[in-house]
């Protein structure tokens, strides 16, 4: 079947092929490259890791009182960074820390 339209007459098969090609091009544009998938998975893994650390710090009641010194803040930070390792027996504690003094 040929459609009459002057100079640009196109068969139904030609239109179908063109439409299929355009659909393939759109799908290729929307497809995410492997590095984007890897970034997404790494981001999800980090969120889960730090979420487990925050959950461990909450279960240890580190957020009930205001941290009194640098050691308390360090303990909270290390607990969050340790993530799921807290549930494998790791219990990081910072007893003392010295902050640098500003220059005069």
């Amino acid at each position: 079947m040929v459609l009459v339209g002057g100079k640009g007459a196109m068969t139904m098969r030609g239109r179908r092929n063109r439409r299929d090609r355009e659909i393939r091009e759109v799908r290729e544009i929307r497809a995410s490259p492997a590095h984007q998938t890897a970034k997404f998975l790494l981001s999800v893994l980090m969120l889960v890791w730090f979420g487990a650390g925050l959950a461990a710090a909450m279960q240890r009641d580190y957020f009930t009182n205001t941290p009194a010194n640098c050691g308390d803040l360090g303990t909270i930070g290390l607990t969050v960074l340790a993530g799921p390792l807290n549930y494998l027996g790791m219990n990081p504690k910072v007893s003392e820390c010295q902050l640098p003094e500003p220059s005069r």
Side-chain angles (χ1 to χ4, degrees):
M1 170 183 213
V2 175
L3 298 175
V4 179
K7 202 172 174 184
M10 185 182 284
T11 63
M12 288 297 281
R13 181 180 294 169
R15 279 190 177 188
R16 201 173 309 128
N17 288 340
R18 180 175 161 199
R19 187 189 71 215
D20 291 344
R21 184 175 57 247
E22 289 172 353
I23 290 172
R24 276 194 305 269
E25 289 173 359
V26 168
R27 286 182 181 160
E28 288 174 4
I29 291 171
R30 289 184 183 171
S32 64
H35 69 276
Q36 287 181 341
T37 304
K39 285 181 185 179
F40 175 76
L41 292 175
L42 184 61
S43 299
V44 169
L45 179 66
M46 286 178 59
L47 286 174
V48 169
W49 186 275
F50 292 133
L54 280 172
M58 288 172 43
Q59 290 172 351
R60 293 178 182 162
D61 294 326
Y62 289 158
F63 298 116
T64 56
N65 300 326
T66 304
N69 56 26
C70 179
D72 293 342
L73 286 172
T75 300
I76 293 171
L78 280 178
T79 301
V80 171
L81 284 176
L85 298 176
N86 289 295
Y87 296 102
L88 297 175
M90 185 176 195
N91 189 8
K93 294 224 185 241
V94 176
S95 58
E96 269 186 49
C97 64
Q98 297 176 353
L99 296 175
E101 295 292 324
S103 61
R104 292 182 182 196

